[in-house]
Amino acid sequence: MNTSERQPLVLAIETSCDETAVSIARGTNEILCSEIASQIAIHKPYGGVVPELASRNHNLAIQPVIAAALENGGVSLSQLDAVAATAGPGLASSLLIGDTTGKALALGLGKPFYSINHIEGHLLSPFIGDDNGIREGIALVVSGGHTLIVKINAVDDYEVLGSTKDDAAGEAFDKVAKMLDLPYPGGPEIDKLAREGDPAAFDLPRSMIDSGDFQFSFSGLKTAVFYLLQKLPEALSETDLKNVCASFQQAVIDVLIAKTIAAAKQTGSKLVAVSGGVSCNSQLRRDITSACEKAGLELAIATPHHSTDNAAMIAFTAAARIEAGISPSLLNTDVNPNLKLAAD
Ligand code: KG4
Ligand code: ZN
């Protein structure tokens, strides 16, 4: 038997928000499959996620998505060594579907169950497929619910250096997109329009860029966009729309990057790891790449497929915890909509 065959087969379920996702990992070496049933079309008419619709649709999708993962991963249920599910943060009614299904599966198979923190999933996702493994560094986690700067010391040893005082970066993208009448989710729409806009067209605030800490605030920027829109003609021209998107996007990116690089310098870290839905943003990817090059820092950035919510990051995190010798979770571990990564 070679080393890879001795790695545990872990099936993980992610249902924290509006994606029903299942993945199977072979240890931290390999992701065998990563299935996602997206509910975007279901929630689009409402301009955001409707919790009850989300949980009911998880309930409908979970069995077929598990079946697809087993088939595409070429794995049978009896081969699994462990089962994992996201325990939080997220919508309680959505989390419960994945959590309960995962526990039932683990119980039925007589295998250990791992409750996984969704933020830890994002945090470690830049290391998926990285031959050098999970290592020390400064992480920027930017999603619809979170904006965090974290010092990674080792698996399960994290220090939160800063977070947002109000809106998460992705939330700011989504709210500004709503003001601009763009479809949900707004981040990718702003990203697309900004490609043809001028990021210097409008002078928008880089909130807290000089605060000397690693805290963020995006609500002032959102308000600044609101007042900017009052001054522009109500029916925005195509050029104005693209320029507002580019200027807003650049204001968010400038603060995210300045603080991440400052955190790496202050802690003497050599690596920057970037993850979460907003790390799909094409301008952020370009700017963080050049900022890290300039500062002599190694950059690990989650692939776009592993940036937005997925179960591969949950399977990878569970496998990393198993490798680190961390005990399985008790089957009466509750889900926690406000689960924290570490004391912050
Ligand atoms: O990580 P994620 O899928 O879910 C959470 O855990 O929140 O992140 C979703 C967020 C949304 O706010 C979405 O608008 C944003 O990520 N997002 C983007 C892009 N793609 C997704 N924001 C900016 N540019 C993008 N290309
Ligand atoms: Zn997420």
Side-chain angles (χ1 to χ4, degrees):
M1 202 190 259
N2 66 33
T3 327
S4 142
E5 281 167 349
R6 268 189 259 118
Q7 301 274 321
L9 279 174
V10 186
L11 180 144
I13 304 173
E14 154 63 45
T15 61
S16 65
C17 191
D18 60 342
E19 321 279 2
T20 316
V22 178
S23 170
I24 302 172
R26 192 191 294 283
T28 51
N29 281 11
E30 203 184 343
I31 301 294
L32 300 179
C33 57
S34 178
E35 309 303 316
I36 303 182
S38 170
Q39 297 183 11
I40 285 184
I42 293 168
H43 300 282
K44 213 170 195 132
Y46 305 95
V49 177
V50 182
E52 193 194 328
L53 277 183
S55 62
R56 283 164 54 193
N57 282 285
H58 285 311
N59 205 17
L60 297 178
I62 192 81
Q63 297 299 343
V65 178
I66 290 175
L70 291 166
E71 183 168 342
N72 294 339
V75 173
S76 65
L77 275 179
S78 61
Q79 288 176 296
L80 295 176
D81 297 299
V83 180
T86 304
L91 298 168
S93 50
S94 285
L95 290 163
L96 276 168
I97 305 293
D99 178 77
T100 309
T101 308
K103 284 172 179 168
L105 202 52
L107 189 65
L109 293 170
K111 299 293 176 187
F113 175 75
Y114 291 82
S115 270
I116 302 297
N117 185 317
H118 181 85
I119 309 171
E120 188 180 13
H122 278 304
L123 181 78
L124 300 183
S125 63
F127 300 106
I128 297 176
D130 185 329
D131 291 342
N132 296 320
I134 296 163
R135 50 206 188 280
E136 216 181 320
I138 284 295
L140 171 68
V141 184
V142 266
S143 71
H146 306 278
T147 304
L148 295 174
I149 292 195
V150 181
K151 171 85 175 29
I152 301 176
N153 296 318
V155 174
D156 204 31
D157 182 359
Y158 314 118
E159 291 165 65
V160 177
L161 303 184
S163 59
T164 178
K165 289 170 170 296
D166 38 58
D167 293 345
E171 196 179 351
F173 268 92
D174 295 337
K175 286 181 177 168
V176 166
K178 220 170 189 174
M179 286 184 215
L180 296 169
D181 284 329
L182 298 174
Y184 162 86
E189 299 292 327
I190 291 185
D191 187 354
K192 244 185 278 161
L193 288 162
R195 279 174 214 166
E196 289 168 26
D198 174 7
F202 301 110
D203 187 19
L204 292 169
R206 269 64 177 160
S207 307
M208 300 186 71
I209 201 160
D210 295 318
S211 62
D213 57 18
F214 305 116
Q215 301 297 109
F216 296 95
S217 166
F218 293 109
S219 72
L221 171 60
K222 193 182 61 191
T223 311
V225 173
F226 177 81
Y227 285 114
L228 169 65
L229 292 177
Q230 309 289 305
K231 282 193 242 149
L232 295 171
E234 205 179 320
L236 274 189
S237 69
E238 194 67 3
T239 311
D240 276 347
L241 175 65
K242 289 172 178 170
N243 286 345
V244 171
C245 287
S247 302
F248 159 76
Q249 177 177 279
Q250 200 60 50
V252 175
I253 292 173
D254 285 354
V255 184
L256 293 175
I257 293 184
K259 299 226 172 195
T260 305
I261 302 292
K265 285 188 177 157
Q266 187 177 304
T267 54
S269 300
K270 302 201 163 30
L271 173 111
V272 163
V274 185
S275 61
V278 180
S279 69
C280 274
N281 185 273
S282 53
Q283 189 65 37
L284 173 64
R285 294 178 87 88
R286 270 194 294 279
D287 287 359
I288 192 91
T289 303
S290 50
C292 284
E293 264 168 30
K294 207 169 135 208
L297 293 161
E298 185 192 348
L299 174 66
I301 186 161
T303 63
H305 182 72
H306 293 142
S307 294
T308 45
D309 287 349
N310 65 88
M313 67 185 193
I314 305 301
F316 180 78
T317 299
R321 293 178 75 84
I322 294 170
E323 280 174 19
I326 297 166
S327 304
S329 313
L330 297 174
L331 287 184
N332 64 358
T333 307
D334 204 358
V335 297
N336 181 353
N338 302 310
L339 193 61
K340 297 260 182 283
L341 179 67
D344 56 328

